Amino acid sequence: MQWFCLVFESRYVLGRKHSKGQTLMDMVCEHLNLLEKDYFGLTYADADTQKVSLWPNISLSFSPSPSTDPPWHLVFAVKFYPPDPSQLTEDITRYYLCLQLRDDMLSGRLPCSFVTHALLGSYTVQAELGDYDLDDHGSDYASDFRFAPNQTRELEERVMELHRNYKY
């Protein structure tokens, strides 16, 4: 019996080679306490082409290319972003969507303008650090975070400028 390992956030879920996709997705979502599953899916990289694809029909068994030997690497990822995130009912759903959004921005898969990077970066800093406090944060705290693939000092300064105006 061959097994594969699904890895996400340094956690592992083991499954059998011919497990149904829905079974694996349910295992992952249960492990994450995720109820709003429709936004997420499993991706894999084909060893022959190195192309990353969304598992198209999770009602079927996982079937990597015949030349691919184990271990097979599947990744939990966002299938699509909701048109109105305020309609989400679960905080954990928003959390995993935000993680994917940040990863997509940092990798360049989601191109953003300077203004968008600054705004989303300021939200990230607010979420991580809370309200601005000069004694706690100093004058260069934004450089501890990554917001963009080619982050500049100018972007960090704009993020800090925006962050200073937020209050919980």
Side-chain angles (χ1 to χ4, degrees), residues 27 40 47 49 51 54 75 91 103 106 111 115 118 130 141 144 166:
M27 289 169 58
F40 303 95
T49 64
K51 180 181 176 191
L54 182 67
V75 177
D91 286 340
D103 186 56
L106 283 172
V115 171
Y141 62 97
D144 294 338
Y166 299 149

Side-chain angles (χ1 to χ4, degrees), residues 12-13 29 45-47 49 53 63 65 67 81 87-88 94 97 103-104 116 136 143 145 150 152 156 162 167-168:
Y12 304 88
V13 174
C29 290
D46 186 285
T49 64
S53 303
S63 181
S65 65
S67 63
Y81 291 103
Q87 297 296 317
L88 297 172
R94 283 187 283 277
L97 285 167
D103 186 56
D104 287 349
T116 301
D136 289 340
S143 63
F145 297 91
N150 299 311
T152 63
E156 292 169 1
L162 291 168
K167 299 287 181 211
Y168 273 124

Side-chain angles (χ1 to χ4, degrees), residues 4-8 21 24-25 28 39-47 50-58 62-64 71-80 100 103-104 109:
F4 64 87
C5 185
L6 175 61
V7 182
F8 54 95
L24 298 173
M25 189 64 187
V28 170
Y39 301 104
F40 303 95
L42 301 173
T43 64
Y44 64 95
D46 186 285
Q50 295 301 313
K51 180 181 176 191
V52 175
S53 303
L54 182 67
W55 192 338
N57 186 348
I58 63 172
F62 177 62
S63 181
W72 300 289
H73 298 280
L74 301 174
V75 177
F76 176 77
V78 172
K79 288 192 297 192
F80 63 93
Q100 182 75 48
D103 186 56
D104 287 349
R109 286 187 303 267

Side-chain angles (χ1 to χ4, degrees), residues 4-163:
F4 64 87
C5 185
L6 175 61
V7 182
F8 54 95
E9 285 196 345
S10 303
R11 299 177 193 164
Y12 304 88
V13 174
L14 292 176
R16 291 194 171 117
K17 178 180 179 182
H18 296 290
S19 296
K20 300 283 186 213
Q22 189 62 57
T23 302
L24 298 173
M25 189 64 187
D26 289 345
M27 289 169 58
V28 170
C29 290
E30 181 180 335
H31 187 76
L32 295 173
N33 295 318
L34 185 65
L35 300 177
E36 295 172 294
K37 304 174 187 180
D38 294 340
Y39 301 104
F40 303 95
L42 301 173
T43 64
Y44 64 95
D46 186 285
D48 297 332
T49 64
Q50 295 301 313
K51 180 181 176 191
V52 175
S53 303
L54 182 67
W55 192 338
N57 186 348
I58 63 172
S59 65
L60 302 176
S61 298
F62 177 62
S63 181
S65 65
S67 63
T68 306
D69 292 323
W72 300 289
H73 298 280
L74 301 174
V75 177
F76 176 77
V78 172
K79 288 192 297 192
F80 63 93
Y81 291 103
D84 185 1
S86 68
Q87 297 296 317
L88 297 172
T89 59
E90 300 285 324
D91 286 340
I92 194 75
T93 305
R94 283 187 283 277
Y95 173 73
Y96 285 112
L97 285 167
C98 286
L99 287 179
Q100 182 75 48
L101 180 65
R102 186 166 74 183
D103 186 56
D104 287 349
M105 288 173 49
L106 283 172
S107 69
R109 286 187 303 267
L110 183 63
C112 297
S113 68
F114 176 87
V115 171
T116 301
H117 275 295
L119 183 62
L120 294 176
S122 68
Y123 293 158
T124 298
V125 171
Q126 178 70 14
E128 294 286 333
L129 301 178
D131 292 343
Y132 174 74
D133 182 332
L134 179 60
D135 295 332
D136 289 340
H137 302 125
S139 62
D140 195 29
Y141 62 97
S143 63
D144 294 338
F145 297 91
R146 303 277 30 103
F147 312 115
N150 299 311
Q151 190 163 314
T152 63
R153 179 69 189 146
E154 180 185 9
L155 177 61
E156 292 169 1
E157 288 172 358
R158 181 65 180 141
V159 165
M160 290 185 295
E161 180 183 323
L162 291 168
H163 175 241

